[in-house]
Amino acid sequence: MESRCENCIIRQFNSLRAMSKEELKQVSDSKTVKTIKKGESLFQEGDKLNGVYCVRNGVSKLSKLSSNGKDQIVKLASKGEVLGQRSVISEESTNLSAIAVDDMEVCFIPKESINNTLQKNPNFTMEVLRHMAHDLKEADDVIVNISQKTVKQRMAEAFLYLKNNFGEDEEGYLALTLSREDISNVVGTATESAIRIISEFKKKGLIVASGKRIGIKDERKLLELVEGF
Amino acid sequence: MESRCENCIIRQFNSLRAMSKEELKQVSDSKTVKTIKKGESLFQEGDKLNGVYCVRNGVSKLSKLSSNGKDQIVKLASKGEVLGQRSVISEESTNLSAIAVDDMEVCFIPKESINNTLQKNPNFTMEVLRHMAHDLKEADDVIVNISQKTVKQRMAEAFLYLKNNFGEDEEGYLALTLSREDISNVVGTATESAIRIISEFKKKGLIVASGKRIGIKDERKLLELVEGF
DNA sequence: GGAATACTATGACAAATGTCAGTTTAGGGA
DNA sequence: TCCCTAAACTGACATTTGTCATAGTATTCC
């Protein structure tokens, strides 16, 4: 297990790649590695973060509690993603909770290291900016999807998303296994509705399921469904 | 009408305030002022933008067309807001259309001026970053609202939003008058549903309406509605 | 191994929302 | 002014989705 940021492959996937050797050294010296068990939280909505989390392993759900008591999952973050950046940059408390869906391993980087680099290295700042621009674009897409598509379409889309972003295991099942409740919180619907639609998709041969695990069987038809037949 | 950026008050509200005098001078020399009539577009989804638009007057709706043919309005931008930044920064084509809801006056700033400053002035980059972080937080809130609240709650919220962000005229009506269709596209519902709920709110004394204009009558009750009674 | 607990599943029903069809109203030109 | 068109509105109905109740199934923890 490599523990120096300078040598960490994960870094290639996020904005830390724009850091200089010196800066990385400083980050590495100040960082701490944490292990988060499935179900535990990295941080909760409303927390003031004094650093960011760089995901080494596992998956975290970023969610927000609504007034009716339900969580909405806004994003699923895995290897290479940096969590908490927004909060650190705007110096506000975070608007999302981060909870481990898997067992996770993350590096905590204190905000001083980040802010320091932001001030001194324009390349790094630009890189962070580019990432944020990308996230914002994605968020717009989510808004349009949720408001203009039916639950069924969004379910289909969610499965395709899981396949494209987290891949499949050797047996062809989605590598990321979510509970039915988590799926419903990604899609933004009632758990029962999600379960019903999963049953329907199974019957129609679009997906297969064994226990919690779900596999995509007919990607083309799922895509057609998303686009509205 | 002041036409030098250095003296433009609008600038105080956006990231351009972090520019140096020299930089502002350069921006001012390269900018062009444009007048956009109600209903005309600043840019369309998919366009490659070669600059950003700084809103001086009027309001623009930022929307995205969904596969079912409906527009979803993601944001309403008014005086002081800068449009197209995301696209220019990530050098991708824009994912939103910007259409004038009012007659508008905007300054077009070529991307070279922006990119030039981004590279040389870390303060400016940080300022843009902060704005983007804010927008992203807002987008998350929209996602949660749309997916977890009923249409009625979102309608109530939309009216409060319009009041808080665009204010009221002398007679107590909302200063920004949107068509029923635009309202439904902000809320993410069918136009008929929006109209029905407006009628209901009128009957219950939550709002008043005269023609297209809508006034908020019982803010407290609207708020209670948003929070789920 | 077995009880306790959480998750998955299904039916029945109610509520919310969308769609279609048609009417009324308002505002902008000729 | 009056017409004409677009927008606002209303009703009836179908569909979608959520809620409640309940049962089956897996998982965990002693």
Side-chain angles (χ1 to χ4, degrees), chain A residues 150-151 189-190 192-193 196:
Chain A
T150 66
V151 174
T189 188
E192 294 94 325
S193 297
R196 256 183 260 276

Side-chain angles (χ1 to χ4, degrees), chain B residues 13-15 17 126-135:
Chain B
F13 304 127
N14 63 40
S15 30
R17 69 175 165 202
M126 266 309 282
E127 194 62 31
V128 173
L129 192 51
R130 266 191 281 268
H131 273 269
M132 193 109 33
H134 175 78
D135 282 354

